[in-house]
Amino acid sequence: QVQLVESGGGLVQAGGSLRLSCAASGRTFSRYVMGWFRQAPGKEREFVAGISDGAGLTYYADSVKGRFTISRDNAKNTMYLQMNSLKPEDTAVYYCAARYGRATAKITEYDYWGQGTQVTVSS
């Protein structure tokens, strides 16, 4: 089992940047597929970005491609989401999640979730 804690959210103006972190407990972090998801008020939770175990292959939702970068530091048991050129529509609670197995963007296939961190982008 793994416990996840997000940090780094906040209020930023449109066009600005934020870096989110997801700290994981346990000794087997490198074996987990990791993902970032977000949920805006009144909307369903959606996939943002994912990173595989091992080689750390990355994949993104079309809405953030070219603006967001997902990465992981297995030595620090931490995953990151660098968010640049932020837009008001990026406003949401951002969650990190983990699973064993193949990389996927499907929310239902992730087993472990953090508590979320709020990102607010003002226009």
Side-chain angles (χ1 to χ4, degrees):
Q1 191 168 357
V2 63
Q3 293 184 327
L4 305 172
V5 179
E6 303 94 335
S7 62
L11 173 64
V12 64
Q13 289 187 333
S17 298
L18 280 175
R19 188 176 82 155
L20 305 183
S21 298
C22 173
S25 65
R27 300 181 180 180
T28 59
F29 174 74
S30 62
R31 296 170 59 187
Y32 285 98
V33 170
M34 302 294 296
W36 285 101
F37 297 81
R38 67 186 181 187
Q39 187 166 18
K43 295 187 176 181
E44 293 186 351
R45 193 171 299 188
E46 64 176 5
F47 169 78
V48 174
I51 187 165
S52 68
D53 60 347
L57 299 176
T58 60
Y59 45 106
Y60 300 90
D62 288 344
S63 59
V64 306
K65 203 171 293 183
R67 300 188 298 124
F68 291 9
T69 302
I70 188 172
S71 62
R72 64 191 300 164
D73 185 336
N74 291 331
K76 295 182 178 180
N77 280 14
T78 303
M79 174 179 66
Y80 305 97
L81 184 68
Q82 177 66 44
M83 305 186 296
N84 298 329
S85 302
L86 282 162
K87 304 175 181 179
E89 51 263 43
D90 294 318
T91 295
V93 177
Y94 283 71
Y95 299 88
C96 66
R99 72 181 303 270
Y100 274 127
R102 65 181 181 86
T104 178
K106 292 184 179 180
I107 293 174
T108 55
E109 295 190 2
Y110 282 80
D111 301 307
Y112 307 103
W113 291 84
Q115 83 290 348
T117 185
Q118 177 70 47
V119 171
T120 303
V121 184
S122 63
S123 57

